[in-house]
Amino acid sequence: MKLVVQVKLLPTPQQAAALEATLHAANRAANLVAALAFQHHCFRTFDLRKHTYDRIKAEFGLAAQAAQHVIKKVCDAYRTLHANLAAGNLGKPGSPRRVKAVAKPVSFRPLAAQPYDDRCLSWQHDARTVSIWTTAGRLKGVAFTGSAEQLALLAACRRGESDLVCRDGMWFLHACVQVPDVPVTAPDGFLGIDLGIANIATTSDGVRHSGKALKAVRHRHRRLRRRLQAKGTKSARRLLKRRRRKEARFAADANHVIAKSIVTEAERTGRGIALEDLQGIRERVRLRKPQRVTLHSWSFHQLGAFLAYKAVRAGVAVIHVDPSYTSQQCSRCGTVDKRNRPDQATFSCTSCGFAEHADVNAARNIASRGETGWAVSHAA
């Protein structure tokens, strides 16, 4: 399986200036290539090279391999755009968002990431340095650091390209590593996971991971952003810039902790993990205006992705099930009734009288559907 390992570069001021100039040159070249691709309606890498390769090498001082990566980066961006259009992620044909997306070429930020391969970037793991190509020449002895686990994984399993990233004045390399696949063990039952806002994740064992702390953090950040944006002074803008992505990092850390806890429990008990298939939920759910911010800041997709990759690394089976009526169905007798759910936290079956926390009941229904779905898909 493929993973991404992030290491932090520790360049000197001169090295940082050379890296910054390289990203600026590469992304100016990428914007030119994107405009030519849009003009000629040419989005295949091989064909686009004929129009752009010699020009961007001469105008922006790019080496041959760097120029190839710029062209490929543009083609990948258009491929992603066309995939989103085909999937309907940018709205229906004729919608303003879709028209805006197709009316102009894709563009790249001045410090957008730039891919490197082994011809442009070499690693010295013992010395913890890299040698990297820049427009000012090859930089040798650029130090890097990371956690012990990341460095060991990088030294043993690195394969393919690495991306040079500049974020908030710091420099990183995102390296692709390929770890051996762990055989998926046949599950002895399933651990159902109900995702929500009041409780971020609830297991069929009755364990609830509350979203109260995360919700409070989001509200505090939202109030602070509102006040700083209204103030509009130079110091307010500086504080806004310094605090950006802080909320996202807090939410990602909470999701990592929850996902690790769930996967560890499933691995310990020999069970698989059953999740709801929540794709497209934002388009399906209709909410009042005050609730929309909460829904759209809910990072259920990220938590699902964390659960999926951690489960693969542990050899735990994962299955996605239909989420329809899991919160209204009784996990004991199977009766589906809207009146079974009088409020957010309560489930009381109108047929058999079974009572339970609503999220725990939903998680048990998800676990049951996971067992059924696994049996059907592995019947042969």
Side-chain angles (χ1 to χ4, degrees), residues 172-191:
F172 300 92
L173 279 172
H174 292 178
C176 182
V177 298
Q178 196 163 9
V179 299
D181 290 335
V182 177
V184 176
T185 56
D188 182 18
F190 275 85
L191 183 66

Side-chain angles (χ1 to χ4, degrees), residues 286-367:
R286 300 180 64 85
L287 295 171
R288 293 182 296 110
K289 192 171 182 179
Q291 296 175 309
R292 293 174 194 166
V293 174
T294 304
L295 176 69
H296 288 282
S297 62
W298 180 36
S299 54
F300 67 89
H301 176 75
Q302 185 186 68
L303 177 56
F306 288 171
L307 281 167
Y309 95 82
K310 291 178 189 294
V312 170
R313 293 195 68 183
V316 174
V318 176
I319 189 169
H320 290 80
V321 303
D322 182 8
S324 302
Y325 305 109
T326 53
S327 61
Q328 298 177 14
Q329 180 181 356
C330 177
S331 59
R332 176 173 291 177
C333 70
T335 301
V336 177
D337 194 328
K338 191 175 182 179
R339 295 173 298 170
N340 289 348
R341 187 82 181 269
D343 56 54
Q344 187 277 326
T346 306
F347 181 89
S348 180
C349 182
T350 57
S351 177
C352 68
F354 173 72
E356 180 57 276
H357 190 281
D359 293 340
V360 176
N361 177 76
R364 289 176 181 170
N365 288 326
I366 294 167

Side-chain angles (χ1 to χ4, degrees), residues 250-270:
F250 182 88
D253 178 71
N255 283 337
H256 270 298
V257 172
I258 293 170
K260 185 174 181 179
S261 171
I262 291 171
V263 172
T264 301
E265 178 63 17
E267 183 182 15
R268 185 186 68 83
T269 57

Side-chain angles (χ1 to χ4, degrees), residues 241-260:
K241 185 177 180 181
R242 189 165 69 243
R243 294 184 64 86
R244 63 178 179 174
R245 288 195 288 269
K246 190 170 183 179
E247 178 185 332
R249 290 196 299 269
F250 182 88
D253 178 71
N255 283 337
H256 270 298
V257 172
I258 293 170
K260 185 174 181 179

